[in-house]
Amino acid sequence: MGRDKRGLPWIPTPGGSPQTLLGHVVATVSRLTDDVVLVANDDPSVPGARVVGDLYSRSGSLGGIYSGLAAVAHDLAFVAAADMPFLNPLLVLDLVRQASRVDAVVPVTGGRPEPLHAVYRKTVLAPARRQIERRELKIALLFDAVSTVGVPEADLRRLDPDLRSFWNLNTPEEYQRALALAGGRRSGVA
């Protein structure tokens, strides 16, 4: 993207207040929980989120999942990347519902797991810590060490037909496309 995606301007709130991409993601997740934890090694100053740093430096996304999960107040946590503007609260709640007897619930799209749009139980902390300490940072390895439910794409499409929840923004073109879609949605066009 060429810059910190978290601070990209996003569609204003329904009340007309400006917001960033990260602020929008936090606001969406805040509708589902009273404890939003943001893993960052700086302070992006986003209302509604408690910021915690990485407990293991240079541990990638697995380290971020570990750090956030260690900090949350609840036994179960939904994990999302900061650049996913189309999170679907109904889909998130469905993933949480499926986690009643497992350690992780992971959507699978295009045959690949979506570990940064998944639900984790605190029971994954010890296996994740061991994996990080061995410097095995591939998140998919964690799914072999804990009880995991993979949610097939067909099931995900029941609540998210276009799988927009899983869109993340990596290029200026993807950002512009997302803005156009979000703007059209707000005005009732898309």
Side-chain angles (χ1 to χ4, degrees):
M1 185 69 75
R3 63 183 273 204
D4 186 350
K5 296 184 275 190
R6 300 174 306 173
L8 290 171
W10 192 246
I11 304 301
T13 66
S17 300
Q19 67 180 338
T20 63
L21 178 59
L22 179 58
H24 170 71
V25 170
V26 167
T28 301
V29 174
S30 293
R31 295 186 310 202
L32 303 172
T33 183
D34 60 353
D35 187 35
V36 177
V37 172
L38 176 61
V39 179
N41 292 317
D42 61 352
D43 185 0
S45 298
V46 178
R50 190 164 44 93
V51 179
V52 299
D54 280 311
L55 295 173
Y56 288 92
S57 64
R58 293 193 284 278
S59 293
S61 296
L62 180 60
I65 291 169
Y66 178 85
S67 301
L69 193 56
V72 296
H74 304 291
D75 181 53
L76 205 57
F78 170 68
V79 170
D83 64 344
M84 295 180 134
F86 299 113
L87 294 176
N88 179 327
L90 292 176
L91 179 57
V92 172
L93 291 173
D94 188 59
L95 297 176
V96 168
R97 179 192 57 75
Q98 294 183 58
S100 66
R101 292 190 173 101
V102 296
D103 299 314
V105 176
V106 184
V108 179
T109 62
R112 299 178 59 194
E114 296 281 356
L116 297 180
H117 185 295
V119 174
Y120 298 88
R121 189 171 297 287
K122 282 193 178 241
T123 52
V124 306
L125 283 169
R129 182 181 61 248
R130 287 190 296 271
Q131 192 174 318
I132 291 167
E133 289 172 350
R134 290 190 308 262
R135 303 304 296 162
E136 296 172 352
L137 302 179
K138 187 173 179 183
I139 299 170
L141 294 174
L142 181 63
F143 304 144
D144 295 332
V146 301
S147 61
T148 303
V149 168
V151 182
E153 192 171 304
D155 291 351
L156 300 168
R157 287 184 184 276
R158 286 184 300 109
L159 293 171
D160 188 356
D162 298 320
L163 301 176
R164 287 187 184 147
S165 295
F166 305 98
W167 290 9
N168 61 351
L169 309 181
N170 294 316
T171 66
E173 295 78 22
E174 290 171 347
Y175 170 59
Q176 291 303 319
R177 181 176 174 218
L179 278 174
L181 180 61
R185 268 183 164 179
R186 174 102 357 118
S187 66
V189 175

